[in-house]
PDB file of all heavy atoms in Angstrom:
ATOM      1  N   LEU A 137     -16.517 -20.988 -11.277  1.00  0.00           N
ATOM      2  CA  LEU A 137     -17.166 -21.611 -10.120  1.00  0.00           C
ATOM      3  C   LEU A 137     -18.454 -20.897  -9.721  1.00  0.00           C
ATOM      4  O   LEU A 137     -19.491 -21.523  -9.542  1.00  0.00           O
ATOM      5  CB  LEU A 137     -16.200 -21.612  -8.935  1.00  0.00           C
ATOM      6  CG  LEU A 137     -15.074 -22.642  -8.981  1.00  0.00           C
ATOM      7  CD1 LEU A 137     -14.016 -22.297  -7.960  1.00  0.00           C
ATOM      8  CD2 LEU A 137     -15.628 -24.038  -8.727  1.00  0.00           C
ATOM      9  N   VAL A 143     -21.491 -22.986  -7.836  1.00  0.00           N
ATOM     10  CA  VAL A 143     -21.030 -23.883  -6.787  1.00  0.00           C
ATOM     11  C   VAL A 143     -21.742 -23.605  -5.473  1.00  0.00           C
ATOM     12  O   VAL A 143     -22.034 -22.452  -5.135  1.00  0.00           O
ATOM     13  CB  VAL A 143     -19.497 -23.756  -6.613  1.00  0.00           C
ATOM     14  CG1 VAL A 143     -19.096 -22.367  -6.132  1.00  0.00           C
ATOM     15  CG2 VAL A 143     -18.960 -24.841  -5.697  1.00  0.00           C
ATOM     16  N   GLN A 147     -21.231 -29.611  -2.265  1.00  0.00           N
ATOM     17  CA  GLN A 147     -21.149 -30.257  -3.570  1.00  0.00           C
ATOM     18  C   GLN A 147     -19.815 -30.968  -3.748  1.00  0.00           C
ATOM     19  O   GLN A 147     -18.806 -30.596  -3.157  1.00  0.00           O
ATOM     20  CB  GLN A 147     -21.317 -29.226  -4.687  1.00  0.00           C
ATOM     21  CG  GLN A 147     -22.725 -28.736  -4.905  1.00  0.00           C
ATOM     22  CD  GLN A 147     -22.828 -27.859  -6.144  1.00  0.00           C
ATOM     23  OE1 GLN A 147     -21.955 -27.036  -6.409  1.00  0.00           O
ATOM     24  NE2 GLN A 147     -23.893 -28.024  -6.898  1.00  0.00           N
ATOM     25  N   ARG A 148     -19.833 -31.989  -4.608  1.00  0.00           N
ATOM     26  CA  ARG A 148     -18.601 -32.666  -5.019  1.00  0.00           C
ATOM     27  C   ARG A 148     -18.114 -32.001  -6.295  1.00  0.00           C
ATOM     28  O   ARG A 148     -18.818 -32.024  -7.316  1.00  0.00           O
ATOM     29  CB  ARG A 148     -18.859 -34.160  -5.245  1.00  0.00           C
ATOM     30  CG  ARG A 148     -19.126 -34.930  -3.962  1.00  0.00           C
ATOM     31  CD  ARG A 148     -19.475 -36.385  -4.257  1.00  0.00           C
ATOM     32  NE  ARG A 148     -18.520 -37.012  -5.173  1.00  0.00           N
ATOM     33  CZ  ARG A 148     -17.342 -37.503  -4.794  1.00  0.00           C
ATOM     34  NH1 ARG A 148     -16.982 -37.437  -3.522  1.00  0.00           N
ATOM     35  NH2 ARG A 148     -16.531 -38.063  -5.680  1.00  0.00           N
ATOM     36  N   VAL A 149     -16.923 -31.406  -6.221  1.00  0.00           N
ATOM     37  CA  VAL A 149     -16.373 -30.646  -7.343  1.00  0.00           C
ATOM     38  C   VAL A 149     -15.085 -31.302  -7.819  1.00  0.00           C
ATOM     39  O   VAL A 149     -14.205 -31.615  -7.009  1.00  0.00           O
ATOM     40  CB  VAL A 149     -16.104 -29.182  -6.947  1.00  0.00           C
ATOM     41  CG1 VAL A 149     -15.400 -28.434  -8.081  1.00  0.00           C
ATOM     42  CG2 VAL A 149     -17.410 -28.480  -6.585  1.00  0.00           C
ATOM     43  N   LEU A 150     -14.977 -31.502  -9.127  1.00  0.00           N
ATOM     44  CA  LEU A 150     -13.771 -32.048  -9.740  1.00  0.00           C
ATOM     45  C   LEU A 150     -13.095 -30.943 -10.539  1.00  0.00           C
ATOM     46  O   LEU A 150     -13.724 -30.314 -11.394  1.00  0.00           O
ATOM     47  CB  LEU A 150     -14.123 -33.214 -10.665  1.00  0.00           C
ATOM     48  CG  LEU A 150     -12.936 -33.924 -11.326  1.00  0.00           C
ATOM     49  CD1 LEU A 150     -12.238 -34.827 -10.313  1.00  0.00           C
ATOM     50  CD2 LEU A 150     -13.405 -34.750 -12.530  1.00  0.00           C
ATOM     51  N   VAL A 151     -11.810 -30.704 -10.273  1.00  0.00           N
ATOM     52  CA  VAL A 151     -11.035 -29.705 -11.008  1.00  0.00           C
ATOM     53  C   VAL A 151      -9.973 -30.436 -11.825  1.00  0.00           C
ATOM     54  O   VAL A 151      -9.055 -31.029 -11.265  1.00  0.00           O
ATOM     55  CB  VAL A 151     -10.370 -28.688 -10.064  1.00  0.00           C
ATOM     56  CG1 VAL A 151      -9.533 -27.688 -10.864  1.00  0.00           C
ATOM     57  CG2 VAL A 151     -11.425 -27.960  -9.238  1.00  0.00           C
ATOM     58  N   ALA A 154      -5.678 -29.315 -12.013  1.00  0.00           N
ATOM     59  CA  ALA A 154      -5.692 -28.660 -10.702  1.00  0.00           C
ATOM     60  C   ALA A 154      -4.357 -28.051 -10.306  1.00  0.00           C
ATOM     61  O   ALA A 154      -4.315 -27.192  -9.420  1.00  0.00           O
ATOM     62  CB  ALA A 154      -6.134 -29.665  -9.633  1.00  0.00           C
ATOM     63  N   GLY A 159      -6.245 -23.797 -12.388  1.00  0.00           N
ATOM     64  CA  GLY A 159      -6.604 -24.899 -11.502  1.00  0.00           C
ATOM     65  C   GLY A 159      -6.243 -24.668 -10.055  1.00  0.00           C
ATOM     66  O   GLY A 159      -7.019 -25.019  -9.152  1.00  0.00           O
ATOM     67  N   ALA A 162      -8.828 -22.482  -8.704  1.00  0.00           N
ATOM     68  CA  ALA A 162     -10.133 -23.149  -8.661  1.00  0.00           C
ATOM     69  C   ALA A 162     -10.233 -24.076  -7.462  1.00  0.00           C
ATOM     70  O   ALA A 162     -11.276 -24.136  -6.791  1.00  0.00           O
ATOM     71  CB  ALA A 162     -10.374 -23.921  -9.956  1.00  0.00           C
ATOM     72  N   VAL A 163      -9.167 -24.816  -7.155  1.00  0.00           N
ATOM     73  CA  VAL A 163      -9.184 -25.704  -5.993  1.00  0.00           C
ATOM     74  C   VAL A 163      -9.405 -24.898  -4.716  1.00  0.00           C
ATOM     75  O   VAL A 163     -10.245 -25.241  -3.870  1.00  0.00           O
ATOM     76  CB  VAL A 163      -7.861 -26.499  -5.909  1.00  0.00           C
ATOM     77  CG1 VAL A 163      -7.756 -27.221  -4.564  1.00  0.00           C
ATOM     78  CG2 VAL A 163      -7.776 -27.503  -7.045  1.00  0.00           C
ATOM     79  N   GLN A 164      -8.661 -23.811  -4.569  1.00  0.00           N
ATOM     80  CA  GLN A 164      -8.777 -23.008  -3.353  1.00  0.00           C
ATOM     81  C   GLN A 164     -10.151 -22.351  -3.226  1.00  0.00           C
ATOM     82  O   GLN A 164     -10.752 -22.330  -2.152  1.00  0.00           O
ATOM     83  CB  GLN A 164      -7.699 -21.923  -3.351  1.00  0.00           C
ATOM     84  CG  GLN A 164      -6.283 -22.461  -3.264  1.00  0.00           C
ATOM     85  CD  GLN A 164      -5.267 -21.348  -3.338  1.00  0.00           C
ATOM     86  OE1 GLN A 164      -4.972 -20.668  -2.354  1.00  0.00           O
ATOM     87  NE2 GLN A 164      -4.722 -21.139  -4.524  1.00  0.00           N
ATOM     88  N   LEU A 165     -10.650 -21.812  -4.333  1.00  0.00           N
ATOM     89  CA  LEU A 165     -11.938 -21.127  -4.292  1.00  0.00           C
ATOM     90  C   LEU A 165     -13.080 -22.103  -4.046  1.00  0.00           C
ATOM     91  O   LEU A 165     -14.009 -21.804  -3.271  1.00  0.00           O
ATOM     92  CB  LEU A 165     -12.163 -20.371  -5.601  1.00  0.00           C
ATOM     93  CG  LEU A 165     -11.289 -19.130  -5.796  1.00  0.00           C
ATOM     94  CD1 LEU A 165     -11.364 -18.641  -7.241  1.00  0.00           C
ATOM     95  CD2 LEU A 165     -11.713 -18.014  -4.846  1.00  0.00           C
ATOM     96  N   ALA A 166     -13.038 -23.274  -4.671  1.00  0.00           N
ATOM     97  CA  ALA A 166     -14.089 -24.263  -4.446  1.00  0.00           C
ATOM     98  C   ALA A 166     -14.116 -24.698  -2.988  1.00  0.00           C
ATOM     99  O   ALA A 166     -15.192 -24.842  -2.378  1.00  0.00           O
ATOM    100  CB  ALA A 166     -13.882 -25.467  -5.358  1.00  0.00           C
ATOM    101  N   ALA A 167     -12.939 -24.909  -2.402  1.00  0.00           N
ATOM    102  CA  ALA A 167     -12.877 -25.261  -0.981  1.00  0.00           C
ATOM    103  C   ALA A 167     -13.383 -24.116  -0.118  1.00  0.00           C
ATOM    104  O   ALA A 167     -14.091 -24.336   0.873  1.00  0.00           O
ATOM    105  CB  ALA A 167     -11.446 -25.631  -0.607  1.00  0.00           C
ATOM    106  N   HIS A 168     -13.043 -22.886  -0.493  1.00  0.00           N
ATOM    107  CA  HIS A 168     -13.526 -21.712   0.245  1.00  0.00           C
ATOM    108  C   HIS A 168     -15.052 -21.628   0.213  1.00  0.00           C
ATOM    109  O   HIS A 168     -15.679 -21.236   1.204  1.00  0.00           O
ATOM    110  CB  HIS A 168     -12.920 -20.452  -0.358  1.00  0.00           C
ATOM    111  CG  HIS A 168     -13.534 -19.180   0.127  1.00  0.00           C
ATOM    112  ND1 HIS A 168     -13.373 -18.714   1.419  1.00  0.00           N
ATOM    113  CD2 HIS A 168     -14.342 -18.276  -0.498  1.00  0.00           C
ATOM    114  CE1 HIS A 168     -14.036 -17.578   1.567  1.00  0.00           C
ATOM    115  NE2 HIS A 168     -14.633 -17.295   0.426  1.00  0.00           N
ATOM    116  N   GLY A 170     -17.023 -24.057   0.237  1.00  0.00           N
ATOM    117  CA  GLY A 170     -17.603 -25.156   0.999  1.00  0.00           C
ATOM    118  C   GLY A 170     -17.777 -26.450   0.249  1.00  0.00           C
ATOM    119  O   GLY A 170     -18.455 -27.366   0.742  1.00  0.00           O
ATOM    120  N   ALA A 171     -17.178 -26.575  -0.927  1.00  0.00           N
ATOM    121  CA  ALA A 171     -17.310 -27.800  -1.709  1.00  0.00           C
ATOM    122  C   ALA A 171     -16.277 -28.838  -1.271  1.00  0.00           C
ATOM    123  O   ALA A 171     -15.267 -28.514  -0.646  1.00  0.00           O
ATOM    124  CB  ALA A 171     -17.132 -27.486  -3.193  1.00  0.00           C
ATOM    125  N   HIS A 172     -16.553 -30.100  -1.619  1.00  0.00           N
ATOM    126  CA  HIS A 172     -15.601 -31.187  -1.431  1.00  0.00           C
ATOM    127  C   HIS A 172     -14.835 -31.340  -2.752  1.00  0.00           C
ATOM    128  O   HIS A 172     -15.414 -31.741  -3.761  1.00  0.00           O
ATOM    129  CB  HIS A 172     -16.331 -32.485  -1.071  1.00  0.00           C
ATOM    130  CG  HIS A 172     -17.158 -32.377   0.170  1.00  0.00           C
ATOM    131  ND1 HIS A 172     -16.611 -32.318   1.425  1.00  0.00           N
ATOM    132  CD2 HIS A 172     -18.513 -32.301   0.335  1.00  0.00           C
ATOM    133  CE1 HIS A 172     -17.566 -32.218   2.325  1.00  0.00           C
ATOM    134  NE2 HIS A 172     -18.736 -32.201   1.695  1.00  0.00           N
ATOM    135  N   VAL A 173     -13.563 -31.026  -2.742  1.00  0.00           N
ATOM    136  CA  VAL A 173     -12.808 -30.865  -3.983  1.00  0.00           C
ATOM    137  C   VAL A 173     -11.923 -32.070  -4.267  1.00  0.00           C
ATOM    138  O   VAL A 173     -11.205 -32.554  -3.390  1.00  0.00           O
ATOM    139  CB  VAL A 173     -11.924 -29.601  -3.917  1.00  0.00           C
ATOM    140  CG1 VAL A 173     -11.229 -29.375  -5.260  1.00  0.00           C
ATOM    141  CG2 VAL A 173     -12.760 -28.378  -3.533  1.00  0.00           C
ATOM    142  N   THR A 174     -11.991 -32.532  -5.509  1.00  0.00           N
ATOM    143  CA  THR A 174     -11.052 -33.524  -6.029  1.00  0.00           C
ATOM    144  C   THR A 174     -10.265 -32.870  -7.156  1.00  0.00           C
ATOM    145  O   THR A 174     -10.855 -32.267  -8.055  1.00  0.00           O
ATOM    146  CB  THR A 174     -11.781 -34.763  -6.567  1.00  0.00           C
ATOM    147  OG1 THR A 174     -12.467 -35.417  -5.498  1.00  0.00           O
ATOM    148  CG2 THR A 174     -10.802 -35.745  -7.201  1.00  0.00           C
ATOM    149  N   GLY A 175      -8.952 -32.992  -7.102  1.00  0.00           N
ATOM    150  CA  GLY A 175      -8.111 -32.413  -8.138  1.00  0.00           C
ATOM    151  C   GLY A 175      -7.546 -33.483  -9.057  1.00  0.00           C
ATOM    152  O   GLY A 175      -7.167 -34.563  -8.602  1.00  0.00           O
ATOM    153  N   VAL A 176      -7.515 -33.196 -10.350  1.00  0.00           N
ATOM    154  CA  VAL A 176      -6.895 -34.082 -11.334  1.00  0.00           C
ATOM    155  C   VAL A 176      -5.608 -33.421 -11.803  1.00  0.00           C
ATOM    156  O   VAL A 176      -5.625 -32.284 -12.291  1.00  0.00           O
ATOM    157  CB  VAL A 176      -7.826 -34.341 -12.528  1.00  0.00           C
ATOM    158  CG1 VAL A 176      -7.145 -35.248 -13.555  1.00  0.00           C
ATOM    159  CG2 VAL A 176      -9.137 -34.949 -12.065  1.00  0.00           C
ATOM    160  N   VAL A 185      -1.539 -29.808  -4.784  1.00  0.00           N
ATOM    161  CA  VAL A 185      -2.998 -29.703  -4.911  1.00  0.00           C
ATOM    162  C   VAL A 185      -3.678 -30.026  -3.588  1.00  0.00           C
ATOM    163  O   VAL A 185      -4.651 -29.368  -3.194  1.00  0.00           O
ATOM    164  CB  VAL A 185      -3.489 -30.611  -6.056  1.00  0.00           C
ATOM    165  CG1 VAL A 185      -5.005 -30.688  -6.078  1.00  0.00           C
ATOM    166  CG2 VAL A 185      -2.961 -30.098  -7.393  1.00  0.00           C
ATOM    167  N   LEU A 188      -3.602 -27.135  -1.204  1.00  0.00           N
ATOM    168  CA  LEU A 188      -4.483 -26.025  -1.556  1.00  0.00           C
ATOM    169  C   LEU A 188      -5.929 -26.271  -1.145  1.00  0.00           C
ATOM    170  O   LEU A 188      -6.760 -25.368  -1.296  1.00  0.00           O
ATOM    171  CB  LEU A 188      -4.412 -25.770  -3.063  1.00  0.00           C
ATOM    172  CG  LEU A 188      -3.038 -25.342  -3.601  1.00  0.00           C
ATOM    173  CD1 LEU A 188      -3.085 -25.232  -5.116  1.00  0.00           C
ATOM    174  CD2 LEU A 188      -2.595 -24.028  -2.979  1.00  0.00           C
ATOM    175  N   GLY A 189      -6.238 -27.478  -0.662  1.00  0.00           N
ATOM    176  CA  GLY A 189      -7.592 -27.743  -0.172  1.00  0.00           C
ATOM    177  C   GLY A 189      -8.304 -28.908  -0.802  1.00  0.00           C
ATOM    178  O   GLY A 189      -9.460 -29.189  -0.452  1.00  0.00           O
ATOM    179  N   ALA A 190      -7.654 -29.635  -1.718  1.00  0.00           N
ATOM    180  CA  ALA A 190      -8.301 -30.803  -2.321  1.00  0.00           C
ATOM    181  C   ALA A 190      -8.338 -31.958  -1.320  1.00  0.00           C
ATOM    182  O   ALA A 190      -7.323 -32.287  -0.709  1.00  0.00           O
ATOM    183  CB  ALA A 190      -7.558 -31.229  -3.577  1.00  0.00           C
ATOM    184  N   GLU A 191      -9.496 -32.558  -1.161  1.00  0.00           N
ATOM    185  CA  GLU A 191      -9.634 -33.698  -0.270  1.00  0.00           C
ATOM    186  C   GLU A 191      -9.172 -35.000  -0.931  1.00  0.00           C
ATOM    187  O   GLU A 191      -8.833 -35.966  -0.249  1.00  0.00           O
ATOM    188  CB  GLU A 191     -11.095 -33.838   0.170  1.00  0.00           C
ATOM    189  CG  GLU A 191     -11.608 -32.620   0.940  1.00  0.00           C
ATOM    190  CD  GLU A 191     -13.072 -32.758   1.296  1.00  0.00           C
ATOM    191  OE1 GLU A 191     -13.616 -33.864   1.188  1.00  0.00           O
ATOM    192  OE2 GLU A 191     -13.684 -31.738   1.692  1.00  0.00           O
ATOM    193  N   ASP A 192      -9.192 -35.024  -2.256  1.00  0.00           N
ATOM    194  CA  ASP A 192      -8.782 -36.206  -3.013  1.00  0.00           C
ATOM    195  C   ASP A 192      -8.041 -35.725  -4.251  1.00  0.00           C
ATOM    196  O   ASP A 192      -8.317 -34.632  -4.772  1.00  0.00           O
ATOM    197  CB  ASP A 192     -10.013 -37.028  -3.410  1.00  0.00           C
ATOM    198  CG  ASP A 192      -9.643 -38.367  -4.042  1.00  0.00           C
ATOM    199  OD1 ASP A 192      -8.497 -38.815  -3.858  1.00  0.00           O
ATOM    200  OD2 ASP A 192     -10.509 -38.962  -4.715  1.00  0.00           O
ATOM    201  N   VAL A 193      -7.088 -36.534  -4.704  1.00  0.00           N
ATOM    202  CA  VAL A 193      -6.315 -36.198  -5.901  1.00  0.00           C
ATOM    203  C   VAL A 193      -6.276 -37.406  -6.814  1.00  0.00           C
ATOM    204  O   VAL A 193      -6.011 -38.525  -6.366  1.00  0.00           O
ATOM    205  CB  VAL A 193      -4.880 -35.752  -5.557  1.00  0.00           C
ATOM    206  CG1 VAL A 193      -4.067 -35.535  -6.836  1.00  0.00           C
ATOM    207  CG2 VAL A 193      -4.892 -34.471  -4.726  1.00  0.00           C
ATOM    208  N   TYR A 209     -19.705 -36.491  -9.788  1.00  0.00           N
ATOM    209  CA  TYR A 209     -19.478 -35.128  -9.297  1.00  0.00           C
ATOM    210  C   TYR A 209     -20.638 -34.213  -9.686  1.00  0.00           C
ATOM    211  O   TYR A 209     -21.253 -34.357 -10.750  1.00  0.00           O
ATOM    212  CB  TYR A 209     -18.167 -34.580  -9.867  1.00  0.00           C
ATOM    213  CG  TYR A 209     -16.973 -35.401  -9.437  1.00  0.00           C
ATOM    214  CD1 TYR A 209     -16.502 -36.443 -10.230  1.00  0.00           C
ATOM    215  CD2 TYR A 209     -16.355 -35.169  -8.222  1.00  0.00           C
ATOM    216  CE1 TYR A 209     -15.429 -37.224  -9.826  1.00  0.00           C
ATOM    217  CE2 TYR A 209     -15.281 -35.946  -7.802  1.00  0.00           C
ATOM    218  CZ  TYR A 209     -14.829 -36.969  -8.606  1.00  0.00           C
ATOM    219  OH  TYR A 209     -13.774 -37.739  -8.194  1.00  0.00           O
TER     220      TYR A 209
END
Side-chain angles (χ1 to χ4, degrees):
L137 284 165
V143 64
Q147 285 187 319
R148 290 176 49 81
V149 174
L150 183 76
V151 178
V163 169
Q164 294 177 81
L165 289 167
H168 169 69
H172 301 287
V173 185
T174 296
V176 179
V185 171
L188 297 176
E191 299 177 14
D192 188 19
V193 175
Y209 299 93

